[in-house]
Amino acid sequence: MLLDVKDLSLSLKKNGKYATILDRISFQVEKGETVGIVGESGCGKSMTALSLMRLLPEKARLDGDINLLDENIAAYSKRKLEKIRGNQVSMIFQDPLTSLNPLQTVGTQIEESLILHRNMTKEERRTRVLKLLKDVGLPRAEELVNEYPHQLSGGMRQRVMIAIAMACEPQLLICDEPTTALDVTIQAQILELMGEIKRQTQMGIIMITHDMGVVAEVCDRVIVMYAGKIVEEGPVLELFQNPTHPYTIGLLDSIPKLGQRKQKLGSIPGTVPAPGNMPAGCRFAERCRHTMDICRTTVPPMFDIKAGHQSACWLFDEKGGDQDGVVRSDELETALHH
Amino acid sequence: MHALRFVAKRLLLMIPILIGISILTFAISNTIPGDPARLILGPKATPEGIEELREDMGLNDPLYVQYGRYMGGILQGDLGESTYSQRPVLNDLLRYTPATFELTMFAMIVTLLVGIPFGVISASRKDKLADQFTRVFALLGVAMPAFWLGLLFLLFFYLKLGILPGSGRLDGGMAPPDYITGMYTVDALLTGNWPVFYAAVMHLILPGITLAAVTIGMITRMTRSSMLSVLKSDYIRTAYAKGAPENRVLYGHALRNGVMPVITLLGMAFGHALGGSVLVESVFSWPGLGQYAVNAITYLDFPAVMGVTLLIAIIFIMVNLIVDTLYFFIDPRLKHD
Ligand SMILES: Nc1ncnc2c1ncn2[C@@H]1O[C@H](COP(=O)(O)OP(=O)(O)O)[C@@H](O)[C@H]1O
Ligand code: SF4
Ligand SMILES: [Mg+2]
């Protein structure tokens, strides 16, 4: 197991009060596997990623375990974390325009990871930087090393970010919406590059996105998040063909289909509850079409749908509880045919 | 090439600015009530004598004729004669400017050496004790009147402790170093005259720090706020994500970005210090432009007032040009656009 996250919770201070941003999140990433994390904006995807990097705001409270290759890095000291970041775990951020230092050359910025983590001579580093630039598909590497970020296009900058992240051949690569800030054609090129990297290395990749299209393209498995919790998890094909959680179904419905005008994710009516003001039971209850009594009082646990496919929705409670079977299968019918 | 064109453009722009300033000063000095001729001749002057002198000085000509005559003189390097000191204004300026320039430069060096580190510490220790301390310090610097601070310094370091000199540029009876730049510290250094160098530096300390108090406050606050916004930026997060330790992030990534807007403020700060030198020179009997200007205004010495104003304008514009050019070279974004 490359990454094993257990009961990860995060609280952040906002306006003097702590609010729970992530609530007991658990998931795994295997070597060579690409796991997508999807969900509407504000559901905690970036905070999950930053928790894994331990790059949280100063007054963050983090609970739970983050086991990277059987070492719990949630308990690591600053010094030990610095040895891991950029070395075993790398991250690519959403906005390539602002994520590079405007006053340093491309070469210097890629080289920095090597200086920090590898015992290389200046010559070796230069060779490696040039190779990285070629690997991420950037032409004229020799000149590029001496150029500044403002001289590059958005797509080129994101390639540079990828080169920085790949410099020390990390075991885990976290991508936080790496294509969101780019135009569509460039998005496709960057996704293609990600796919290539995925095929050529044994890295585990976490691909954060709010775009189901990106998931379909590069992911093996998907985690669906809603309001700081994981609501459904499963293999990509299974999840696309057999989505179970009403929220996942809503997300998939909002993908624009051929010949249809593009809709926003917000086509699910209602809004996400704010951190610090979460309902007692299921967090989706306010927006769900199938809300039952139990949904409002008790948080649904993850129910097994199939091997590797789980859903946090009371509709899939095998034992039935207070709910009678008839209602449930009715609800399921509507849910699945929507 | 870009930089050259940039500098050339700015130098050309100086001409209309200087003409504007000269017209303004000329107009203002000639509308102030008070008759230089009467002032020169004293209380016992006869109206006929005054009228004669006015005619001699050209004060009866229309303003634009007087202005034209003045500007014509400037083009030939003639700034007129000071009515008070009876010497050519150019000679006076050459004599007093180095003293003021030395004092102002000293204050700017102190400002940079104190203001930028204080701002960086303040930002990196936001809301901690070091931050509170520097913020109070910066506020005091900005808020405290310079003459009052100067008097406090005099009282304490000169009168009470007696460890620092309180007036003039050198110890009494000490001969100035051979004239090269007119700045005693520089000239003493160039001629290897150590006792004079030491004395000149000691004499700079109190007026220099008094003059720097305001600009230290300005630069500290600017550095702090600029560093705070830089530290929040995405590329700082990228640096941490690479595994860079805090000090490397702070000094390798944040500092250079954070200092950029501070550089643009340096020209302003220099101008501020130049203006502040008028008061500070009076407090510390520093024989510079400030004192000369005060005298010139008191005695309605128009050629001297004009000369000082134009000179200060030129210095101010040149310093800002140097600062902007510096910025041009430091920020790669300007070089390529
Ligand atoms: N620095 C912060 N302090 C407090 N709350 C924050 C901070 N950053 C983000 N949040 C909150 O955390 C929640 C999750 O944000 P985020 O992880 O950025 O969402 P996503 O990446 O899924 O769009 C949001 O409700 C957001 O308001
Ligand atoms: S638990 Fe209830 S409210 Fe929540 S998604 Fe399932 S049916 Fe809807
Ligand atoms: Mg995000």
Side-chain angles (χ1 to χ4, degrees):
Chain A
M1 185 75 62
L2 174 59
L3 178 72
D4 185 8
V5 178
K6 270 194 204 139
D7 286 332
L8 186 75
S9 294
L10 171 71
S11 303
L12 291 180
K13 207 168 187 174
K14 208 172 196 178
N15 308 330
K17 271 198 309 199
Y18 275 98
T20 307
I21 304 292
L22 301 176
D23 191 5
R24 278 164 293 148
I25 283 184
S26 301
F27 64 93
Q28 286 98 30
V29 179
E30 301 277 2
K31 241 188 207 150
E33 185 185 36
T34 301
V35 175
I37 300 182
V38 292
E40 282 164 295
S41 139
C43 70
K45 304 181 298 289
S46 294
M47 284 302 150
T48 305
L50 293 173
S51 300
L52 300 182
M53 292 291 287
R54 297 278 311 274
L55 283 176
L56 293 164
E58 204 158 289
K59 282 176 183 141
R61 274 200 213 132
L62 193 64
D63 277 313
D65 296 349
I66 304 169
N67 295 309
L68 181 73
L69 296 168
D70 296 324
E71 291 250 11
N72 183 12
I73 63 170
Y76 265 23
S77 67
K78 240 188 198 173
R79 187 73 49 82
K80 279 174 106 178
L81 283 169
E82 283 160 8
K83 294 228 164 67
I84 290 184
R85 289 182 193 141
N87 191 12
Q88 268 133 307
V89 192
S90 284
M91 185 158 173
I92 298 168
F93 299 97
Q94 176 168 343
D95 193 350
L97 298 175
T98 55
S99 295
L100 290 167
N101 188 333
L103 298 185
Q104 285 188 351
T105 60
V106 166
T108 308
Q109 299 194 52
I110 301 177
E111 190 186 12
E112 184 169 29
S113 312
L114 300 173
I115 292 174
L116 288 166
H117 303 295
R118 292 284 183 272
N119 233 331
M120 290 170 124
T121 65
K122 210 169 158 45
E123 267 318 297
E124 289 169 332
R125 287 201 300 264
R126 188 180 156 79
T127 314
R128 173 93 181 115
V129 168
L130 290 177
K131 172 155 192 326
L132 280 162
L133 285 173
K134 278 175 200 134
D135 286 352
V136 297
L138 285 167
R140 358 170 247 112
E142 307 268 347
E143 295 156 48
L144 215 57
V145 285
N146 295 320
E147 284 178 15
Y148 290 90
H150 72 271
Q151 293 170 277
L152 312 182
S153 68
M156 288 171 88
R157 287 187 223 189
Q158 195 60 301
R159 284 176 197 268
V160 171
M161 281 301 295
I162 295 173
I164 290 174
M166 304 296 297
C168 296
E169 302 175 306
Q171 280 120 326
L172 180 64
L173 177 65
I174 305 170
C175 310
D176 189 359
E177 315 221 17
T179 59
T180 306
L182 306 171
D183 2 321
V184 188
T185 46
I186 310 295
Q187 276 187 15
Q189 291 169 13
I190 295 290
L191 278 184
E192 201 170 302
L193 173 64
M194 296 300 311
E196 222 167 275
I197 288 170
K198 178 188 156 172
R199 279 190 297 280
Q200 284 169 4
T201 64
Q202 270 302 295
M203 260 188 328
I205 300 176
I206 295 178
M207 176 64 72
I208 292 174
T209 178
H210 62 256
D211 184 347
M212 280 294 190
V214 171
V215 173
E217 194 131 344
V218 291
C219 297
D220 304 313
R221 224 147 45 74
V222 198
I223 291 166
V224 181
M225 278 184 76
Y226 183 76
K229 272 186 99 58
I230 294 181
V231 295
E232 184 160 11
E233 183 183 339
V236 168
L237 221 64
E238 160 77 8
L239 209 94
F240 270 83
Q241 286 170 353
N242 182 24
T244 59
H245 198 283
Y247 178 62
T248 312
I249 292 168
L251 273 187
L252 286 170
D253 271 353
S254 63
I255 304 179
K257 295 184 183 70
L258 214 63
Q260 199 178 322
R261 272 188 55 229
K262 190 168 177 152
Q263 282 175 290
K264 288 212 334 227
L265 270 181
S267 58
I268 309 170
T271 52
V272 190
N277 191 22
M278 288 296 172
C282 173
R283 294 183 176 184
F284 192 54
E286 279 304 312
R287 300 167 78 185
C288 183
R289 256 178 289 183
H290 317 286
T291 314
M292 303 166 284
D293 287 343
I294 187 171
C295 304
R296 300 208 181 270
T297 56
T298 320
V299 178
M302 282 294 232
F303 295 107
D304 282 325
I305 308 293
K306 262 186 197 167
H309 185 184
Q310 297 169 309
S311 186
C313 172
W314 285 118
L315 292 172
F316 304 95
D317 182 7
E318 289 294 322
K319 293 188 288 286
D322 297 336
Q323 316 294 319
D324 61 286
V326 182
V327 173
R328 197 177 70 240
S329 48
D330 277 0
E331 296 286 354
L332 199 58
E333 279 297 290
T334 12
L336 295 184
H337 289 101
H338 225 92
Chain B
M1 196 54 229
H2 272 272
L4 267 180
R5 198 179 309 154
F6 171 79
V7 171
K9 220 197 264 170
R10 291 288 300 266
L11 281 174
L12 277 180
L13 210 66
M14 263 179 83
I15 297 170
I17 293 176
L18 285 176
I19 291 178
I21 290 173
S22 65
I23 292 178
L24 211 66
T25 323
F26 203 83
I28 291 174
S29 13
N30 280 283
T31 44
I32 291 173
D35 186 346
R38 186 185 297 268
L39 213 66
I40 290 170
L41 293 177
K44 290 188 191 132
T46 58
E48 296 76 32
I50 291 174
E51 194 47 41
E52 199 176 325
L53 186 59
R54 280 187 66 85
E55 197 62 42
D56 264 6
M57 291 170 74
L59 292 174
N60 287 337
D61 295 336
L63 258 190
Y64 66 87
V65 174
Q66 293 185 43
Y67 178 74
R69 192 160 49 222
Y70 181 75
M71 290 309 277
I74 282 190
L75 290 180
Q76 292 158 30
D78 175 14
L79 293 175
E81 194 171 277
S82 160
T83 52
Y84 172 69
S85 74
Q86 310 273 330
R87 279 186 305 254
V89 171
L90 188 65
N91 287 14
D92 282 348
L93 292 183
L94 286 176
R95 187 158 130 195
Y96 294 114
T97 309
T100 297
F101 196 72
E102 182 175 39
L103 179 60
T104 314
M105 281 312 282
F106 183 83
M108 289 312 291
I109 291 169
V110 173
T111 298
L112 289 181
L113 288 183
V114 178
I116 289 181
F118 268 34
V120 172
I121 290 168
S122 194
S124 68
R125 299 268 167 272
K126 185 173 183 282
D127 296 332
K128 306 236 170 75
L129 197 67
D131 181 28
Q132 313 286 14
F133 174 78
T134 37
R135 283 168 75 184
V136 170
F137 188 84
L139 191 67
L140 281 179
V142 172
M144 209 139 44
F147 71 92
W148 188 67
L149 186 67
L151 288 177
L152 273 187
F153 279 171
L154 270 184
L155 207 67
F156 194 69
F157 293 102
Y158 173 62
L159 286 178
K160 199 154 179 129
L161 296 179
I163 49 173
L164 286 169
S167 74
R169 298 174 73 187
L170 288 176
D171 299 342
M174 195 177 241
D178 298 337
Y179 189 101
I180 300 171
T181 63
M183 291 182 268
Y184 287 179
T185 46
V186 178
D187 291 352
L189 260 185
L190 290 176
T191 54
N193 193 342
W194 301 115
V196 167
F197 177 73
Y198 178 78
V201 170
M202 293 309 271
H203 278 79
L204 272 170
I205 291 178
L206 286 187
I209 291 179
T210 306
L211 194 53
V214 176
T215 45
I216 287 176
M218 280 164 65
I219 296 292
T220 303
R221 295 165 124 202
M222 183 70 184
T223 308
R224 179 180 186 272
S225 73
S226 154
M227 282 297 282
L228 280 180
S229 76
V230 165
L231 286 173
K232 271 192 227 128
S233 61
D234 287 352
Y235 55 84
I236 293 301
R237 192 182 53 191
T238 306
Y240 279 118
K242 286 184 199 171
E246 188 166 352
N247 273 340
R248 190 185 169 97
V249 175
L250 206 57
Y251 296 104
H253 289 273
L255 184 60
R256 209 168 139 213
N257 280 285
V259 160
M260 298 300 290
V262 179
I263 292 174
T264 55
L265 199 68
L266 283 184
M268 289 289 293
F270 188 91
H272 205 101
L274 215 53
S277 68
V278 174
L279 277 173
V280 173
E281 284 180 6
S282 302
V283 174
F284 291 94
S285 323
W286 192 264
L289 271 188
Q291 290 223 58
Y292 183 66
V294 170
N295 276 335
I297 293 166
T298 317
Y299 294 102
L300 298 178
D301 186 349
F302 292 149
V305 171
M306 283 295 295
V308 171
T309 312
L310 284 181
L311 181 70
I312 286 183
I314 291 173
I315 295 178
F316 186 66
I317 293 173
M318 288 307 283
V319 166
N320 273 288
L321 177 61
I322 292 171
V323 164
D324 288 354
T325 314
L326 205 69
Y327 196 83
F328 203 86
F329 280 106
I330 295 178
D331 193 335
R333 282 164 294 193
L334 290 178
K335 228 182 291 178
H336 298 109
D337 285 354

